Amino acid sequence: MVHHEWSLSAGLCHSVPSFLYRVSLMMKPQVVFVLGGPGAGKGTQCSKIVENYNYTHLSAGDLLRAERAREGSEDGQLIANYIKEGKIVPVEITINLLKRAMEETMQKDEKKFRFLIDGFPRNEDNLQGWKKVMEGKADIKFVLFFDCSNEVCINRCLERGKSSGRTDDNRESLEKRIQTYLQSTRPIIELYEKEGKVRTIDASRSVDEVFAEVKAILEKEG
Ligand code: UDP
Ligand code: MG
């Protein structure tokens, strides 16, 4: 009897393609959303987190810029227009880039299941797209919110614009990005706030001071 059960399950294993079997062993992705105004320091702080903790940093903006630059991309021109105008790209594009990046990371190393998703979700469309594609497939641990005045945000981006080469680090684009942030992103942060999921950090201070607070939060959350 015991022998019979054993051979049955062994047979089942053989019938499942090995890559699916591997996927079934993977951990569910654990996600921290990283939000805050343009220039709040999301990217800088994410790099420091990656140096010190076992997280993979995925910046939605960076993924979109890479897709914009990819030869043969069907969405390149649309992405370019949206970024320059400070508008939020339709989520169908962004969610595919994020999902693929997460899958590729975990396929290379199944221990890499912790993600910082930086600059997403930025509006209701982003949130719905995430839910549609990722709900049940990933856990949102919490939202790291880098809180910073608009004035500090604008000045930091203008400073960054001297060398970033970004098409949106100029005064005209920045005005629009701030409006988008206030009108579309803040309500998303408030939604998560109501669920008790937001960890707010005063991001107007120096990189090291802000990181000290980030560290305290990560140690507490485990
Ligand atoms: N963007 C988007 N969807 C996203 C993330 C970024 O459409 O999920 C676009 C949007 O136009 C935004 C720009 O990319 O203004 C730059 O985003 P990024 O996160 O790089 O800017 P940051 O806030 O870090 O300065
Ligand atoms: Mg950024």
Side-chain angles (χ1 to χ4, degrees):
M1 197 55 205
V2 168
H3 178 75
H4 175 73
E5 268 178 22
W6 179 83
S7 56
L8 190 73
S9 65
L12 209 70
C13 266
H14 276 291
S15 68
V16 178
S18 68
F19 107 89
L20 271 185
Y21 179 65
R22 256 172 58 90
V23 167
S24 73
L25 288 181
M26 280 181 184
M27 286 289 295
K28 204 191 232 189
Q30 302 292 302
V31 171
V32 175
F33 284 144
V34 181
L35 293 173
K42 305 182 292 288
T44 305
Q45 293 294 330
C46 284
S47 304
K48 291 184 75 78
I49 295 171
V50 168
E51 279 169 26
N52 290 274
Y53 300 88
N54 191 16
Y55 275 96
T56 301
H57 175 209
L58 299 178
S59 156
D62 288 350
L63 289 168
L64 287 167
R65 281 183 284 273
E67 180 62 19
R68 175 183 67 182
R70 188 175 64 82
E71 205 163 325
S73 168
E74 286 178 6
D75 303 315
Q77 192 53 52
L78 181 148
I79 294 170
N81 296 340
Y82 272 72
I83 287 181
K84 191 142 185 292
E85 288 302 312
K87 293 194 300 189
I88 297 158
V89 172
V91 70
E92 289 72 20
I93 297 173
T94 318
I95 197 72
N96 278 330
L97 296 171
L98 282 170
K99 185 162 179 274
R100 195 177 318 143
M102 288 170 77
E103 284 167 356
E104 278 172 9
T105 305
M106 292 179 69
Q107 266 156 25
K108 271 187 221 137
D109 181 352
E110 59 231 29
K111 289 190 289 300
K112 291 189 129 315
F113 57 88
R114 290 189 183 83
F115 294 93
L116 299 166
I117 299 194
D118 157 9
F120 182 97
R122 275 175 135 90
N123 65 359
E124 189 59 35
D125 176 58
N126 276 184
L127 187 60
Q128 291 313 320
W130 172 272
K131 286 190 174 158
K132 193 169 155 201
V133 177
M134 296 305 293
E135 201 148 72
K137 297 199 182 88
D139 294 331
I140 312 295
K141 295 202 341 176
F142 55 94
V143 175
L144 214 47
F145 169 37
F146 290 98
D147 194 11
C148 198
S149 73
N150 298 338
E151 199 191 357
V152 171
C153 281
I154 290 173
N155 287 334
R156 284 182 184 169
C157 288
L158 289 176
E159 194 55 37
R160 178 172 73 184
K162 291 176 186 168
S163 60
S164 70
R166 278 178 54 159
T167 58
D168 59 349
D169 281 344
N170 56 74
R171 203 167 273 285
E172 210 189 331
S173 295
L174 272 162
E175 300 284 345
K176 296 174 182 166
R177 288 165 69 193
I178 293 281
Q179 283 315 312
T180 300
Y181 168 66
L182 295 175
Q183 282 167 16
S184 305
T185 311
R186 288 302 294 242
I188 302 302
I189 297 170
E190 273 154 36
L191 278 178
Y192 281 115
E193 187 82 67
K194 290 201 186 100
E195 293 178 23
K197 286 208 160 172
V198 178
R199 308 289 175 270
T200 302
I201 293 167
D202 173 4
S204 61
R205 295 162 304 160
S206 74
V207 171
D208 288 342
E209 282 172 312
V210 174
F211 188 59
E213 222 183 295
V214 170
K215 257 178 143 164
I217 290 170
L218 291 178
E219 312 267 324
K220 195 166 158 220
E221 298 292 340

